[in-house]
Amino acid sequence: MKKTTIIISLFVLLLTSCLGDDTIDYDYSSDTAITDFSLGTLKRRMYTKTSDGLKDSTYMSNVVCSKYKFCIDHEKGLIYNEDSLPVRTDISKVLCTVNAYNGSAIGYKKPDNDTIFNYNAADSLDFTKSLEFRVYAADGTSYRPYKTSVNVHQQYGDSLYWTNVGNIGSVPAKCKMIAKDGAVFVFDLNVDKDVMLFNNSFYAIHGEALQKSSDGSSWTTVAEEFPFKHLIAAGSTMIFAISDDNSIWQSADGKQWIADVMEGDEDYLPLENIYCFSKTVKSNLNTEKIIVVGNSPADADKAVVWTKIIEKSPDSKVYPWSRISYTRDTDYSLPKELNLSVAYYDDNLISVQNGKFLVSRDEGLLWQNDKKDYYLPEGFSQEESSVVVASSAEHLWMLEQNGTLWRGLFNRLAWAHQDGKK
């Protein structure tokens, strides 16, 4: 078979596998390559309840597959979708579009026999098992095979799956759990006062000193005589503390401190069970928002929420710390709890109280009992006890008072994390 190097070089540039991956220049025959593969609209079985909520019901929805791009690996002879189709998508009757260079003849074979069928875009194919597509050269006998798979998720992305990690033993009566580097650390707040994570190190007040640690066990002194009574927050570039007169100060290293700006009643600053979270503002990637949740002696019933905006561009406006005031919708505030614990997971603030998940989807303004997306795992033994929560990029962690540690997961967060999207 004649091979033309110049034509092949131009042709390979057109064969973009996996949308953006580099295609290696091989000396292939110019008329034996699949250049495009896509799926039509597929059916997906959905489950719901009847209107009276007593019976299960099913219905079919459409999955528009044009957004699921297929990778074509010419070297290994593979065609597949990296982003799996939604769970319960029916791939037993699939209309697919397959194009080959120069309109070459295309055939396919099923995994259970060697019969070669002519490909016809109007025929539905069964992809519950991988098919092999073949592109034939002009001589009618030479061909290039492509093993073709349609991947479908086997679990729901929006379902919360819990794993019992085991029992860690005795849990301090007043403790805080922080996730770091794939592990969770449990701190006794009577020893590690106001512990929080800053610049990938734990910071805490020990006696009169501010100390830091990379492993939660060995501590080094940052400031021997720390002039503040509480740490309140840590962002990406600053750590914040509360002075004896209830003003807020900031520092880039824990050693040199300058007064920050604040508006609102300083009596309502959180002084116990302080949890802070930092997030990048989606509308401006150079802006950071810090959210602090905790207990204040000035409010006997509700936890308090404070926020601060930090713009990182030169000469940016300085925004003050401000408290979310519950002047209305007080039924949707976060109740004050003796052992209050809060996590930030999937862009939601989460607290577990009396066996209920209280979730805020608006950064601390409104809190509601979320029974749809969040629920206690089977085997959870102490629904009425205090529960310590923490979060990492993929997981939601929950620690019972008896020492049982649970790891929760929304599958879609793990998928996004594995694909480098989050």
Side-chain angles (χ1 to χ4, degrees):
M1 187 186 306
K2 183 178 179 181
K3 298 180 180 181
T4 307
T5 303
I6 296 177
I7 295 177
I8 295 305
S9 297
L10 294 173
F11 171 59
V12 171
L13 289 174
L14 296 175
L15 296 180
T16 303
S17 300
C18 259
L19 291 179
D21 290 353
D22 293 334
T23 304
I24 303 174
D25 191 354
Y26 293 95
D27 192 20
Y28 290 144
S29 172
S30 62
D31 57 357
T32 56
I34 288 179
T35 59
D36 179 68
F37 184 94
S38 61
L39 303 182
T41 299
L42 300 180
K43 295 294 184 181
R44 180 189 182 196
R45 184 174 296 278
M46 304 294 290
Y47 291 88
T48 186
K49 291 283 188 182
T50 55
S51 58
D52 58 11
L54 300 178
K55 297 180 180 179
D56 292 328
S57 178
T58 64
Y59 65 95
M60 303 301 291
S61 66
N62 291 329
V63 179
V64 179
C65 296
S66 57
K67 64 179 180 179
Y68 295 91
K69 304 301 180 183
F70 278 78
C71 301
I72 304 176
D73 189 327
H74 303 287
E75 178 185 3
K76 296 179 180 179
L78 299 175
I79 299 175
Y80 58 94
N81 54 315
E82 280 192 328
D83 292 335
S84 297
L85 301 180
V87 65
R88 290 205 174 103
T89 299
D90 184 3
I91 57 171
S92 64
K93 298 178 181 179
V94 178
L95 292 178
C96 60
T97 300
V98 186
N99 294 318
Y101 185 65
N102 276 342
S104 300
I106 303 173
Y108 69 92
K109 65 182 292 294
K110 301 176 182 179
D112 53 358
N113 63 63
D114 293 327
T115 303
I116 305 300
F117 300 91
N118 291 325
Y119 162 73
N120 186 328
D123 294 337
S124 62
L125 302 178
D126 184 357
F127 278 97
T128 55
K129 295 182 179 179
S130 178
L131 301 181
E132 180 184 293
F133 281 85
R134 296 182 177 183
V135 184
Y136 288 87
D139 59 14
T141 57
S142 301
Y143 66 88
R144 177 181 297 178
Y146 291 87
K147 183 180 179 180
T148 305
S149 302
V150 177
N151 298 317
V152 179
H153 280 304
Q154 300 305 305
Q155 296 177 314
Y156 284 105
D158 287 326
S159 294
L160 185 61
Y161 291 87
W162 287 102
T163 300
N164 187 330
V165 180
N167 194 290
I168 67 171
S170 178
V171 175
K174 188 175 182 181
C175 64
K176 186 174 186 178
M177 183 167 56
I178 300 177
K180 177 182 181 289
D181 299 333
V184 287
F185 298 76
V186 180
F187 297 93
D188 186 342
L189 292 181
N190 290 318
V191 177
D192 304 303
K193 182 180 176 183
D194 301 332
V195 62
M196 58 186 57
L197 195 61
F198 175 58
N199 284 343
N200 207 39
S201 292
F202 299 111
Y203 280 70
I205 299 175
H206 291 136
E208 301 297 324
L210 175 66
Q211 295 187 326
K212 70 175 183 178
S213 171
S214 61
D215 59 8
S217 298
S218 301
W219 295 82
T220 59
T221 299
V222 178
E224 188 69 40
E225 296 183 2
F226 191 55
F228 303 100
K229 62 181 180 180
H230 289 287
L231 296 176
I232 184 175
S236 60
T237 59
M238 292 286 177
I239 188 168
F240 301 86
I242 301 176
S243 63
D244 288 336
D245 63 354
N246 282 354
S247 59
I248 300 178
W249 293 63
Q250 62 173 265
S251 173
D253 57 8
K255 299 177 181 179
Q256 303 295 322
W257 294 81
I258 61 173
D260 205 351
V261 289
M262 180 178 64
E263 64 181 19
D265 191 344
E266 65 272 12
D267 290 338
Y268 283 85
L269 283 172
L271 302 182
E272 295 178 334
N273 304 92
I274 302 171
Y275 289 83
C276 69
F277 311 98
S278 173
K279 58 174 291 184
T280 299
V281 177
K282 294 180 179 179
S283 59
N284 187 343
L285 299 182
N286 207 31
T287 300
E288 177 182 15
K289 184 171 186 177
I290 298 177
I291 305 167
V292 175
V293 185
N295 288 337
S296 169
D299 197 320
D301 302 317
K302 300 184 291 293
V304 294
V305 181
W306 287 72
T307 64
K308 180 179 175 65
I309 297 293
I310 301 175
E311 292 185 350
K312 301 176 183 179
S313 301
D315 301 322
S316 296
K317 178 182 177 180
V318 176
Y319 290 88
W321 284 93
S322 59
R323 180 174 68 95
I324 293 179
S325 179
Y326 296 104
T327 55
R328 59 184 180 84
D329 295 323
T330 53
D331 289 342
Y332 296 103
S333 59
L334 179 65
K336 184 176 184 178
E337 190 178 60
L338 181 62
N339 293 315
L340 177 71
S341 180
V342 183
Y344 189 78
Y345 183 64
D346 191 28
D347 291 332
N348 300 319
L349 290 167
I350 299 167
S351 183
V352 180
Q353 299 185 10
N354 298 321
K356 299 177 181 179
F357 277 90
L358 301 179
V359 179
S360 175
R361 303 182 185 279
D362 53 13
E363 301 174 346
L365 178 60
L366 302 179
W367 299 77
Q368 293 178 291
N369 180 13
D370 190 323
K371 300 178 182 179
K372 176 178 178 293
D373 295 326
Y374 296 90
Y375 51 87
L376 294 170
E378 184 177 352
F380 187 87
S381 61
Q382 299 184 26
E383 293 190 5
E384 299 303 319
S385 69
S386 298
V387 177
V388 181
V389 291
S391 59
S392 56
E394 294 181 32
H395 297 109
L396 176 64
W397 301 88
M398 187 167 63
L399 178 63
E400 295 185 62
Q401 198 68 48
N402 65 4
T404 303
L405 180 64
W406 298 88
R407 182 181 65 220
L409 169 68
F410 279 132
N411 285 315
R412 57 180 167 75
L413 297 185
W415 301 334
H417 189 74
Q418 291 165 3
D419 295 340
K421 297 177 182 176
K422 193 173 182 75

